[in-house]
Amino acid sequence: MSFISFRNVSKIYQMGEVEIKALDDMSFDIEKGEFVTILGASGAGKTTVLNILGGMDTVTGGHVIVDEEDIAGYNQKKLCEYRRNDIGFVFQFYNLVQNLTAKENVELALQICRFPLDPVKMLKLVGLEDRMNNFPSQLSGGEQQRVAIARAVAKNPKLLLCDEPTGALDYKTGKQVLKVLQDMCFEERMTVVIVTHNSALADMGNKVIHIRSGKVESVKINDHPKNIEEIEY
Amino acid sequence: MFQIDTFRLIRKTVKRFLSLTLIVLIGVAFMMGLMSNPYIMRSSVDRFDDKYHLQDLQLYSAYGFCIEDLQALRESEKIDRLFASKTVDVYCTRQDGDELVARVTELGRSVNQIELSAGRMPKKADECVLLVNYIGESDYYLGEEFSLWLDEDIHEYLKNDRYTVVGFVKSPEYICNVFGTSNLKNQELNMVLYVPNTNFIFKYYTTLYMTLKDADTYLSYTREYEDFVDDRSTDIADIAFVQQNYLKDQIKEEAEEELRKATEEFEEKKAEGQAELDEAAQKLNDANIMIVNYEAELDMLNTLIGRLKATVGEDDVSDFSSQAQDFAISHGIDPSVLYSADVREYAKAALDEAQNTYDSLNYQIRKARQEYEAGMEEYKEGVLTFNDEIAKAEAELRKARQDIDDLPKASWTLLDREGHYSSYMYDSTCKQMAAIGYAMPMLFFLVAALVCLTTMTRLVDEQRGQIGIYSALGFTKKQIIGKYVSYAFLAAMIGGILGILLGQAIFPTVIYKTWRLMYDLPQMVLSFPVPYVAICLLSFLGLMCGVTAYVVANTLKDVPASLMRPKAPKNAREILLEKVSFIWEKLSFTSKITARNLFRYKSRFLMTVIGVAGCTALLVLGWGIKDSISDVIDIQFGEIFAYDYQISLENDHHLEENLSILEKDLNNETVVPFMSYTGKLYFNSRNDTASVIVMEPRNAFVTMDLRSADKKLPIKLNNEGIVVSQKFARNNGIKKGDMVILESRNGLKAEVQVSEICEMYFQHYIFMSEAMYQSLFEEEIKDTFIAVKTDDSESLMKDCGELKDFISVIDFSGMIDQFQTMINALDLIIAVIIITSGSLAFVVLVNLTQVNISERVREIATLKVLGFNEHEVNLYIFKEILLLTLIGGTLGLPLGVLEHHFIMNVINMEMVMFGMNISVLSFTYAFLITFIFTAIVLFFMRRPLEQIDMVESLKSVE
Ligand SMILES: Nc1ncnc2c1ncn2[C@@H]1O[C@H](COP(=O)(O)OP(=O)(O)O)[C@@H](O)[C@H]1O
Ligand SMILES: [Mg+2]
């Protein structure tokens, strides 16, 4: 049994008269400690997959098994628990709380966590120990995103989900961020799923899932993930 | 196109639009209601005044007025109506024995007319209609008989001294429930009787009432009216100046004439009396002469008798003296007889006869002398009486002369409505209301400005992109600003119009109803005075549009390109508190966030704190007013006056007996006699009346808890001075240690020191010891009042039945009842305050939460994704609001105290000293209710928080 198993998941948005099938009978598996990249064009359904995985959205049909529990059947309250304890989320637009310093943003996550990691250590891990007391507005996009990763990781989640983590970043800072994520997976043994429309990033993980129009097009296993520094995009 | 866009914007931001509308509605309602209220109060009464022709002017004169005076005044074209009234103040005894002071005046008036409110108008000379306070609540009834009396003969003034009440009336002349003082020793006037004018048998009119032409086109109590009357009354003052001596001259002439006649009469009588006395003296003189003659005769007779006796004893009778012979001849005795043989015989007979004559003559003399002496006595007495009478008559004449010389200066007093007690009182009440009406709405204006500022700032922030597009498309700044200004304009217009309607429907009605406790007011006339409508609407429209224009113009400073990018979030900064690390470190994580947020948005912080503080302050005010009035009851009748009943007696002849009757009854805890009168006090060219209470210090200690106004220390009556009640002292500017002049019961004046100012909440009092009174005025103390403390009113009433010279007994619980109704009526005002303050809190808090939530949708969504549960998310947002409520509420308490002080000082009733303390309970209520309001707002704000969709919010920045 895989750590995560997406089974025949469908998600239909009802827009008035029109039904939009964001996910159409989608299935795939993710193993513990894997670095998974979900690839697809804009509108393919990547974010939808991630939202469902993250317990932020519900499915229309199918099962989502995470660590032997079917979260598709969870109610709001259980989903909240799930997000709280099992998920770390990195957003495309960082979503730091503007009014909190970098360190405080990390601490924010710890308020609700059972087994949190040390925020200072986390910030060190993402290379921002010098910027701990800066407010988001005083940080660059990449730095902000790294704070966001520190925040997500500090919760000590089972699963780290990243939606286009470099989408709003330039090439260089994007690479820095991706490096941090790779380190999380390969050094801290954390399961990481990142979503991107950039196929150049396909090689950086253990597994690449291509999706198109809400369907899995292909799943590739990559036994020798490339170090992010070697990838050019 | 652009306009459609405005409407679409409204539809999209309905809640925000509504909150703008609502704050304007509340602000305008409050402003309109309170500001136009004095106008409504004035115009309602003005209509009544005009309908029943309330005097514009009134003339008094010590001599009264005669027909010629009226004719002279009729010359003036300025006067519309002129009414000469005969009036007399009398005592009135009701059937149940109650004694009151009544003013009796005429029916059939052209000025100060009356409106029949119950019963009918009099048809017979001994019927009357009655004007009293609180007819509904009083125990006066139709068919009741009054008997009127005066210390002098009432029939010199009125034909009838008994009247039957056939109707109740109202008059604009007496709308205040205090009628003023009567001419009877300044005693309070209790009622007015209108009787047919055939009852008045005195010659001159007491008062002249006038209305001026066109004066009714002005609103009473306004500056315009006052100027008009001032202008017109100069004419009348001129006439008064000329005419005022007419009646005096006439009266003086008549008196002179009378004196002249009296003097003549006196002279005549004096002459007559003198003549009588002279005659009597003559007669006495004559009598005296006769007595002397008789005595001479008696002497001679005595000699004769001696001779005769000798003759009878001798033989030789030849030698009769010629004297004897003369005597014999004069007595018809032949002298030859003297020589006759039996002359002895003869002499014997003659002797007998002479002896007889002698005796009778002697008797006559004695009688005459007695008569003379009696006459003499009488004469002497007559002279004395005569002199007495003359002296008396002369004194009388001199006095008459003096009286004529002393005739007071003839001077007419011309009073306008400021000199008319009811109008004056009502005007000052209206002025007080106006002061409140201008001060209070400021708060709402300020809050409205802040609400508008936050709401529009947020709206414009959200609309940045839109604004950028318009700007890029080439719309001018003006056009863009116009779009948002028209948004604010619509909100302000809708809110303003509704606010005017609502404000007029609530505030004047409630306030008018409350003032009915003090005034017998006519039906209220609700109107929408244009100037006030304009002020309220324009000020709020201007405010909302101005603030909006400012906010939009500020945003438009950015170039279109930067407008289309998301606004750089407001820079977070370290707040001051963080510098105080020992506090900051102790704060919990969420507290730190809350603290940061609070100080980040200053206008929002201000809006909420001011709004919530205003809400709490209003509540403190509401309950504070109630406390102030309750103090009057609780402290006045519970502590200061520790007795329950006050018995008044006609005189002190049977005081000891009466006291022992009351003391025998074991139900009566305390029975204390004292003297009381209404006395005038003079200080610094002012004078004022108060109830003077003269008591034994020991007795005062049992019946009253007198304590100093400032330190609440007990006061003992002593011989050093008098104790003056607080409000009386304040009204007249009297301070401890001042020297004042006080009148005694009989009107003697003496200077005395004010030794203490005592705490007192109702009516004016002057206290002093009996010894003090005696040493001041050297007058006897007449204890005609008895204070009784008892729980058993029934047994006391029985005792009263046995008392001699009993007049009445006052039950203080009656006064307590009167205040209680006043307090109950205030509940209505408190309800209005709660609703108002509640809506203020609601608008501000809803606005704050809404802005907070809408601005932090991403933040909240992030929290949700991080796994914050519903409760934690609520707390994250609400903690801030609770803290603001706490700050606002805490600031609101002292603010409320200030407002309370302001209002109580403005209301400032003549006789009542309101308590200034607000109870802890009131503060608690105010504080708790503020929090309840907050809790309600938060309860309803949970839903929008819950509805924030994580997925939706995180997609991208708009
Ligand atoms: N809340 C929503 N309502 C309606 N349609 C949606 C919603 N979210 C996503 N979709 C639709 O589902 C499809 C997949 O969207 P998404 O997962 O965001 O794509 P991707 O992240 O790959 O760009 C798209 O066609 C999108 O229009
Ligand atoms: Mg996407």
Side-chain angles (χ1 to χ4, degrees):
Chain A
M1 182 95 201
S2 306
F3 178 54
I4 293 166
S5 167
F6 235 59
R7 293 207 199 132
N8 312 98
V9 174
S10 66
K11 174 74 184 174
I12 298 166
Y13 290 108
Q14 195 75 40
M15 297 290 284
E17 300 287 290
V18 195
E19 276 191 356
I20 298 172
K21 272 197 173 163
L23 300 182
D24 187 6
D25 197 27
M26 183 183 276
S27 300
F28 59 82
D29 293 313
I30 294 171
E31 301 306 327
K32 202 163 183 145
E34 264 184 343
F35 193 110
V36 179
T37 317
I38 297 178
L39 264 175
S42 190
K46 308 181 294 290
T47 301
T48 310
V49 170
L50 210 64
N51 285 348
I52 286 169
L53 260 182
M56 287 154 61
D57 211 348
T58 50
V59 300
T60 313
H63 301 277
V64 180
I65 313 291
V66 177
D67 208 4
E68 297 177 1
E69 299 240 10
D70 184 4
I71 64 164
Y74 277 11
N75 60 14
Q76 283 302 327
K77 207 173 156 203
K78 274 192 128 173
L79 276 178
C80 181
E81 282 292 301
Y82 168 71
R83 287 198 301 272
R84 187 182 186 117
N85 299 321
D86 300 342
I87 301 296
F89 213 100
V90 178
F91 308 89
Q92 181 175 2
F93 300 101
Y94 340 127
N95 287 354
L96 295 181
V97 178
Q98 295 297 321
N99 208 18
L100 300 181
T101 60
K103 184 175 161 220
E104 284 162 355
N105 262 293
V106 180
E107 283 172 338
L108 179 66
L110 310 187
Q111 293 295 310
I112 51 170
C113 217
R114 272 182 296 186
F115 309 108
L117 304 174
D118 178 30
V120 180
K121 223 187 250 167
M122 286 306 109
L123 283 168
K124 236 179 232 164
L125 207 63
V126 298
L128 286 174
E129 63 265 45
D130 298 335
R131 311 297 298 273
M132 278 198 309
N133 291 322
N134 285 113
F135 287 100
S137 54
Q138 298 163 324
L139 298 172
S140 72
E143 285 164 342
Q144 285 191 51
Q145 191 62 300
R146 281 188 277 160
V147 174
I149 292 167
R151 179 173 70 183
V153 173
K155 281 171 75 183
N156 197 7
K158 287 181 187 165
L159 187 56
L160 186 61
L161 303 174
C162 314
D163 190 2
E164 311 253 12
T166 59
L169 300 176
D170 60 52
Y171 177 75
K172 221 181 137 227
T173 40
K175 267 196 163 177
Q176 283 176 348
V177 167
L178 289 173
K179 176 80 181 72
V180 170
L181 288 174
Q182 234 181 7
D183 291 348
M184 286 296 154
C185 180
F186 299 144
E187 278 160 36
E188 310 291 328
R189 312 298 321 150
M190 192 170 282
T191 314
V192 177
V193 180
I194 70 168
V195 153
T196 178
H197 62 271
N198 187 349
S199 45
L201 298 177
D203 295 340
M204 68 179 280
N206 306 94
K207 188 184 267 176
V208 183
I209 302 172
H210 276 267
I211 62 175
R212 171 178 290 175
S213 312
K215 283 194 165 74
V216 176
E217 204 182 34
S218 70
V219 178
K220 274 192 202 138
I221 306 290
N222 181 8
D223 288 328
H224 303 287
K226 275 191 187 155
N227 197 315
I228 189 70
E229 271 117 31
E230 303 160 23
I231 298 174
E232 297 289 333
Y233 62 90
Chain B
M1 170 61 211
F2 221 55
Q3 283 318 310
I4 294 170
D5 212 60
T6 305
F7 286 112
R8 194 174 293 150
L9 182 63
I10 292 173
R11 208 170 322 135
K12 226 174 87 185
T13 57
V14 153
K15 273 191 196 157
R16 229 163 282 169
F17 186 78
L18 283 183
S19 82
L20 283 186
T21 309
L22 198 61
I23 189 68
V24 174
L25 190 155
I26 295 169
V28 169
F30 220 80
M31 194 165 176
M32 181 69 193
L34 288 185
M35 262 171 53
S36 75
N37 169 62
Y39 174 83
I40 303 277
M41 283 175 76
R42 285 177 173 143
S43 61
S44 301
V45 168
D46 183 61
R47 209 177 65 156
F48 186 61
D49 289 352
D50 290 344
K51 186 169 174 198
Y52 292 100
H53 305 286
L54 177 67
Q55 64 192 58
D56 291 309
L57 294 170
Q58 183 178 10
L59 271 172
Y60 278 118
S61 161
Y63 294 94
F65 301 93
C66 58
I67 297 284
E68 288 82 353
D69 293 339
L70 292 186
Q71 279 161 354
L73 282 166
R74 286 223 168 83
E75 300 280 289
S76 167
E77 284 167 9
K78 308 280 164 68
I79 296 175
D80 185 22
R81 287 161 180 252
L82 176 64
F83 177 67
S85 147
K86 289 181 177 172
T87 297
V88 59
D89 289 351
V90 299
Y91 295 107
C92 166
T93 308
R94 296 184 59 192
Q95 277 168 329
D96 61 7
D98 271 3
E99 209 164 90
L100 300 153
V101 178
R103 175 160 292 170
V104 183
T105 188
E106 294 170 79
L107 283 165
R109 325 162 63 81
S110 63
V111 178
N112 293 347
Q113 293 179 335
I114 49 179
E115 179 186 74
L116 191 67
S117 54
R120 60 168 174 83
M121 292 306 258
K123 287 180 189 147
K124 286 187 275 176
D126 62 349
E127 290 177 340
C128 70
V129 285
L130 179 64
L131 191 147
V132 284
N133 293 313
Y134 305 123
I135 288 166
E137 289 161 42
S138 75
D139 56 347
Y140 297 96
Y141 53 91
L142 294 176
E144 175 165 16
E145 253 183 46
F146 291 145
S147 79
L148 311 182
W149 54 276
L150 280 169
D151 289 334
E152 52 215 295
D153 185 12
I154 193 167
H155 291 293
E156 280 178 27
Y157 299 94
L158 291 173
K159 214 178 267 173
N160 286 303
D161 61 0
R162 296 182 76 81
Y163 293 91
T164 311
V165 179
V166 296
F168 292 110
V169 291
K170 283 179 170 218
S171 161
E173 193 180 358
Y174 300 101
I175 54 166
C176 181
N177 73 355
V178 179
F179 288 172
T181 48
S182 65
N183 299 326
L184 300 171
K185 297 176 194 156
N186 290 324
Q187 289 183 76
E188 188 92 11
L189 198 57
N190 304 117
M191 57 182 171
V192 183
L193 299 183
Y194 293 87
V195 305
N197 56 7
T198 51
N199 278 297
F200 296 89
I201 43 188
F202 46 96
K203 194 166 162 197
Y204 299 120
Y205 301 106
T206 327
T207 319
L208 300 185
Y209 300 105
M210 282 157 269
T211 59
L212 294 171
K213 277 196 186 116
D214 302 327
D216 56 358
T217 56
Y218 294 87
L219 184 60
S220 303
Y221 319 105
T222 55
R223 165 75 46 78
E224 292 74 31
Y225 168 81
E226 277 166 22
D227 290 346
F228 178 82
V229 172
D230 280 352
D231 181 45
R232 297 299 154 105
S233 57
T234 49
D235 249 33
I236 291 148
D238 290 345
I239 296 176
F241 187 73
V242 177
Q243 188 66 27
Q244 60 190 359
N245 284 307
Y246 179 82
L247 187 54
K248 182 202 169 174
D249 291 346
Q250 235 179 16
I251 287 173
K252 192 173 172 181
E253 227 164 80
E254 267 167 38
E256 267 327 336
E257 176 66 26
E258 233 168 74
L259 179 61
R260 206 171 41 81
K261 268 191 206 151
T263 317
E264 263 171 32
E265 221 169 88
F266 163 75
E267 296 296 350
E268 243 168 61
K269 284 243 174 83
K270 189 177 165 187
E272 244 169 59
Q274 195 61 52
E276 262 169 43
L277 278 179
D278 288 352
E279 204 179 310
Q282 191 57 47
K283 271 186 190 154
L284 279 173
N285 212 26
D286 289 355
N288 198 25
I289 290 168
M290 208 176 75
I291 288 169
V292 172
N293 284 347
Y294 276 166
E295 272 170 352
E297 220 169 287
L298 197 66
D299 258 359
M300 264 162 38
L301 203 52
N302 209 21
T303 323
L304 181 66
I305 286 168
R307 287 284 162 80
L308 281 175
K309 269 186 184 158
T311 308
V312 172
E314 286 169 24
D315 292 333
D316 180 15
V317 292
S318 61
D319 188 22
F320 278 108
S321 69
S322 58
Q323 222 183 355
Q325 284 178 26
D326 286 350
F327 183 81
I329 290 162
S330 73
H331 282 81
I333 304 164
D334 186 359
S336 64
V337 175
L338 298 174
Y339 309 102
S340 73
D342 36 19
V343 78
R344 194 164 293 162
E345 274 307 297
Y346 226 92
K348 223 180 219 170
L351 180 62
D352 280 349
E353 204 179 326
Q355 197 72 51
N356 275 345
T357 311
Y358 179 88
D359 286 346
S360 88
L361 192 58
N362 202 15
Y363 172 73
Q364 267 178 33
I365 287 173
R366 261 208 326 272
K367 213 174 132 193
R369 175 153 284 143
Q370 263 174 15
E371 263 167 34
Y372 173 79
E373 251 144 40
M376 197 58 183
E377 200 65 27
E378 212 173 281
Y379 172 73
K380 275 184 190 156
E381 233 165 69
V383 170
L384 277 179
T385 344
F386 176 72
N387 286 343
D388 256 16
E389 263 168 27
I390 294 285
K392 227 191 262 171
E394 271 172 350
E396 253 166 50
L397 287 174
R398 261 203 312 278
K399 176 148 190 313
R401 175 78 259 152
Q402 191 67 40
D403 280 354
I404 292 173
D405 293 343
D406 282 356
L407 274 177
K409 225 183 112 210
S411 117
W412 285 6
T413 315
L414 182 63
L415 297 177
D416 55 14
R417 284 192 190 167
E418 243 179 89
H420 171 234
Y421 190 80
S422 268
S423 292
Y424 174 75
M425 290 300 287
Y426 191 67
D427 183 33
S428 42
T429 296
C430 290
K431 284 194 179 120
Q432 294 159 6
M433 289 291 101
I436 294 171
Y438 286 108
M440 297 285 288
M442 290 312 292
L443 176 71
F444 289 85
F445 198 70
L446 188 62
V447 172
L450 288 166
V451 167
C452 180
L453 184 66
T454 35
T455 310
M456 288 317 289
T457 307
R458 178 66 203 148
L459 184 75
V460 169
D461 280 355
E462 285 174 16
Q463 297 270 310
R464 277 174 68 87
Q466 286 272 340
I467 293 175
I469 293 165
Y470 283 129
S471 192
L473 285 176
F475 283 94
T476 62
K477 265 189 182 187
K478 256 191 204 153
Q479 283 171 309
I480 297 169
I481 291 175
K483 173 183 158 169
Y484 293 94
V485 166
S486 62
Y487 178 91
F489 181 87
L490 270 176
M493 201 65 197
I494 295 171
I497 289 171
L498 290 177
I500 281 167
L501 295 176
L502 203 71
Q504 279 313 70
I506 295 174
F507 291 96
T509 316
V510 168
I511 295 170
Y512 200 74
K513 200 170 167 186
T514 311
W515 281 114
R516 283 204 152 150
L517 292 168
M518 284 274 299
Y519 297 99
D520 194 4
L521 294 174
Q523 191 77 37
M524 188 179 86
V525 187
L526 192 61
S527 62
F528 293 88
V530 175
Y532 293 107
V533 171
I535 288 174
C536 293
L537 267 187
L538 292 181
S539 60
F540 273 85
L541 280 176
L543 177 80
M544 302 304 267
C545 296
V547 169
T548 307
Y550 164 80
V551 170
V552 180
N554 230 3
T555 302
L556 279 174
K557 275 192 208 140
D558 287 347
V559 290
S562 79
L563 280 177
M564 280 184 278
R565 281 199 301 274
K567 185 184 181 184
K570 196 167 170 169
N571 275 351
R573 271 183 293 123
E574 281 198 353
I575 56 170
L576 218 57
L577 196 61
E578 290 177 52
K579 303 250 159 70
V580 195
S581 54
F582 68 92
I583 297 180
W584 184 251
E585 242 115 74
K586 293 225 172 70
L587 290 180
S588 77
F589 185 76
T590 43
S591 304
K592 285 181 190 168
I593 300 174
T594 310
R596 278 238 186 79
N597 281 336
L598 281 188
F599 295 107
R600 188 157 153 210
Y601 301 103
K602 291 200 183 59
S603 69
R604 228 177 280 171
F605 177 86
L606 272 182
M607 168 191 82
T608 317
V609 168
I610 292 177
V612 173
C615 163
T616 314
L618 276 177
L619 292 168
V620 168
L621 172 70
W623 267 286
I625 291 175
K626 223 177 161 175
D627 281 345
S628 290
I629 295 173
S630 312
D631 268 5
V632 176
I633 294 187
D634 297 343
I635 303 181
Q636 180 80 39
F637 300 109
E639 295 173 25
I640 298 175
F641 278 3
Y643 59 95
D644 310 307
Y645 295 90
Q646 182 173 313
I647 295 171
S648 64
L649 303 170
E650 219 159 302
N651 53 55
D652 65 347
H653 299 337
H654 302 279
L655 184 65
E656 292 306 318
E657 253 174 89
N658 286 335
L659 286 177
S660 65
I661 290 172
L662 292 170
E663 277 158 3
K664 240 182 9 218
D665 185 344
L666 294 177
N667 290 317
N668 297 337
E669 260 179 68
T670 318
V671 176
V672 161
F674 65 98
M675 174 163 106
S676 172
Y677 64 93
T678 311
K680 247 198 189 120
L681 180 142
Y682 299 81
F683 178 69
N684 267 356
S685 77
R686 294 178 58 130
N687 68 75
D688 200 352
T689 53
S691 299
V692 182
I693 290 188
V694 182
M695 255 198 203
E696 282 267 318
R698 184 167 31 87
N699 286 339
F701 183 72
V702 190
T703 43
M704 290 180 292
D705 181 14
L706 291 182
R707 47 205 188 189
S708 59
D710 43 0
K711 294 187 184 127
K712 313 275 180 261
L713 295 172
I715 297 174
K716 266 192 83 173
L717 297 181
N718 54 31
N719 290 348
E720 274 150 40
I722 57 173
V723 175
V724 172
S725 63
Q726 202 172 357
K727 184 82 180 195
F728 187 74
R730 190 195 290 176
N731 286 356
N732 296 291
I734 299 171
K735 275 181 217 67
K736 192 170 154 176
D738 282 342
M739 295 302 289
V740 297
I741 292 170
L742 184 65
E743 265 184 6
S744 79
R745 194 165 47 97
N746 297 323
L748 287 179
K749 285 178 194 164
E751 201 180 25
V752 62
Q753 190 176 39
V754 175
S755 63
E756 280 289 357
I757 309 278
C758 70
E759 186 183 7
M760 186 70 57
Y761 295 91
F762 186 54
Q763 293 177 333
H764 304 318
Y765 291 96
I766 294 170
F767 300 96
M768 68 175 117
S769 67
E770 298 196 338
M772 181 80 219
Y773 184 84
Q774 275 169 328
S775 75
L776 265 187
F777 303 114
E778 292 168 353
E779 258 179 33
E780 240 183 288
I781 302 276
K782 281 200 152 86
D783 287 339
T784 55
F785 289 89
I786 304 175
V788 182
K789 189 173 169 182
T790 179
D791 293 329
D792 192 340
S793 76
E794 243 174 72
S795 84
L796 181 70
M797 291 307 139
K798 222 178 274 165
D799 296 339
C800 286
E802 293 173 36
L803 298 181
K804 287 196 174 145
D805 310 320
F806 173 79
I807 295 180
S808 67
V809 55
I810 296 174
D811 178 359
F812 279 124
S813 63
M815 271 188 225
I816 297 178
D817 283 348
Q818 196 182 325
F819 273 98
Q820 202 63 53
T821 38
M822 194 158 161
I823 289 178
N824 292 343
L826 280 176
D827 281 344
L828 191 62
I829 285 197
I830 289 184
V832 171
I833 287 181
I834 290 179
I835 292 169
T836 319
S837 62
S839 47
L840 182 68
F842 276 126
V843 172
V844 167
L845 291 173
V846 167
N847 197 276
L848 175 78
T849 14
Q850 233 170 34
V851 169
N852 265 356
I853 291 172
S854 81
E855 191 183 55
R856 297 206 218 148
V857 167
R858 290 184 71 78
E859 194 174 316
I860 294 160
T862 310
L863 292 177
K864 284 185 176 182
V865 174
L866 285 178
F868 277 65
N869 62 29
E870 201 184 312
H871 177 72
E872 287 159 339
V873 171
N874 288 346
L875 205 67
Y876 181 82
I877 298 290
F878 292 166
K879 209 168 174 178
E880 204 175 308
I881 289 159
L882 282 170
L883 198 67
L884 284 174
T885 308
L886 189 72
I887 296 172
T890 311
L891 288 178
L893 298 179
L895 189 69
V897 173
L898 284 180
E899 266 176 20
H900 176 253
H901 263 254
F902 171 74
I903 299 270
M904 291 326 282
N905 279 328
V906 167
I907 292 178
N908 186 27
M909 284 162 46
E910 213 274 321
M911 278 291 205
V912 184
M913 167 85 204
F914 290 114
M916 276 299 176
N917 294 328
I918 302 173
S919 70
V920 176
L921 199 64
S922 300
F923 285 123
T924 317
Y925 280 147
F927 206 69
L928 279 184
I929 288 183
T930 309
F931 267 91
I932 290 171
F933 286 146
T934 311
I936 293 171
V937 170
L938 295 189
F939 181 80
F940 284 108
M941 278 298 152
R942 278 176 19 195
R943 254 187 82 73
L945 266 184
E946 217 175 293
Q947 276 173 343
I948 291 176
D949 188 354
M950 292 172 275
V951 181
E952 202 63 11
S953 324
L954 295 176
K955 274 192 174 150
S956 71
V957 184
E958 258 185 50

